[in-house]
Amino acid sequence: MKRAKLSVTLVPALLAGAFWLCAVSTALAQVEVVVTPTVDTWIRARTPDTAYPNDLISVWNREVAGDPDGTTRHGLIEFDISGVTQPIVGAYLSLYSYNDGSNLTRLEQEGYLVTPNGISDSETWNSYMMNFWEDKLESFGYYSLPADSPLDVWYDSQPASAADLALFEAARTGTGKLTFLFKSEAWAEPTEQDPTPWGRRDWGDIEYSGTPPRLVLNVVPEPGTLTLAALGLTGLL
């Protein structure tokens, strides 16, 4: 008889307004925690005093002659990680590419860590610029998607680098919140119908699509956590 290790999924719980799903992996000796946002929204340069609550998370950038910020939209997402009591050793973002009927372009998205915390659904371009600032992350939240990438599917970002994880650990032991800004580069090839290159994606959210972003954290298990194993039949491994 061979001895097979199992990954065990624990019962989901609603903590601090966020959905938490824990998976204990005896093979990796890590606990995976999935957190959904407390806030997700987007801000627009062209309408700097307008908020866009209860909407998809728009990450757009279009180079327009004489109006470089005309259709620039940045996505904002905040997560409550106060329930994470053990060190974070890995992280990535999972976003749902929502099909809203718009033409897609190539997307090159980059992520930023926002300070201080405390964004809201009523955030505007101007209110954000006056009250917050951001630091560029090395790899977390980065996406590179072609224009013909499928819709209505989940996409995982690049994982957090060691430097990114250090920032996340500081947040875990400090405010207990992680706030991110996401920007797009203008990468699409120009056409006769649309001669200005741009990049865009509308990601799923809490209210409008019911497919909120997922912050996936790998954390060190609590000391003394029991590992589970089961007997497997020979030939099944």
Side-chain angles (χ1 to χ4, degrees):
M1 299 284 281
K2 291 188 177 180
R3 198 168 182 82
K5 294 182 177 179
L6 294 180
S7 291
V8 180
T9 300
L10 304 182
V11 178
L14 196 61
L15 299 178
F19 178 83
W20 301 68
L21 180 65
C22 300
V24 181
S25 172
T26 61
L28 298 178
Q30 294 179 5
V31 177
E32 185 177 272
V33 179
V34 181
V35 190
T36 54
T38 52
V39 179
D40 58 32
T41 188
W42 58 277
I43 53 177
R44 187 180 187 185
R46 179 177 285 179
T47 52
D49 292 313
T50 301
Y52 296 91
N54 307 322
D55 198 2
L56 300 171
I57 305 168
S58 289
V59 181
W60 292 20
N61 189 358
R62 187 181 188 189
E63 296 176 355
V64 181
D67 184 17
D69 294 327
T71 52
T72 299
R73 303 181 181 187
H74 297 335
L76 281 168
I77 307 175
E78 186 165 284
F79 297 93
D80 184 340
I81 60 168
S82 60
V84 178
T85 59
Q86 292 297 106
I88 300 170
V89 295
Y92 65 89
L93 185 68
S94 188
L95 297 175
Y96 188 82
S97 186
Y98 188 80
N99 185 359
D100 63 352
S102 302
N103 293 326
L104 291 181
T105 70
R106 175 180 171 184
L107 176 73
E108 297 289 331
Q109 178 175 296
E110 53 193 17
Y112 296 78
L113 185 66
V114 174
T115 52
N117 307 117
I119 62 169
S120 71
D121 280 333
S122 60
E123 216 64 64
T124 67
W125 184 276
N126 279 343
S127 68
Y128 174 81
M129 295 301 173
M130 288 188 296
N131 297 299
F132 301 91
W133 59 92
E134 67 264 357
D135 293 304
K136 190 174 183 179
L137 296 167
E138 286 189 350
S139 57
F140 178 88
Y142 281 61
Y143 286 85
S144 180
L145 299 176
D148 60 354
S149 55
L151 293 168
D152 291 328
V153 295
W154 291 93
Y155 288 98
D156 295 341
S157 77
Q158 293 185 34
S161 68
D164 296 341
L165 290 174
L167 295 172
F168 297 175
E169 263 297 279
R172 182 187 70 82
T173 58
T175 64
K177 294 183 179 180
L178 284 170
T179 307
F180 300 105
L181 179 82
F182 298 103
K183 301 180 182 180
S184 167
E185 295 293 335
W187 276 103
E189 293 295 327
T191 64
E192 289 186 8
Q193 293 78 19
D194 193 355
T196 53
W198 60 315
R200 62 169 290 177
R201 189 71 47 149
D202 292 310
W203 300 113
D205 72 314
I206 301 170
E207 301 92 351
Y208 184 87
S209 69
T211 51
R214 300 169 179 171
L215 173 62
V216 184
L217 303 175
N218 292 320
V219 303
V220 176
E222 293 281 354
T225 299
L226 294 177
T227 59
L228 300 181
L231 293 177
L233 294 176
T234 301
L236 292 182
L237 299 180

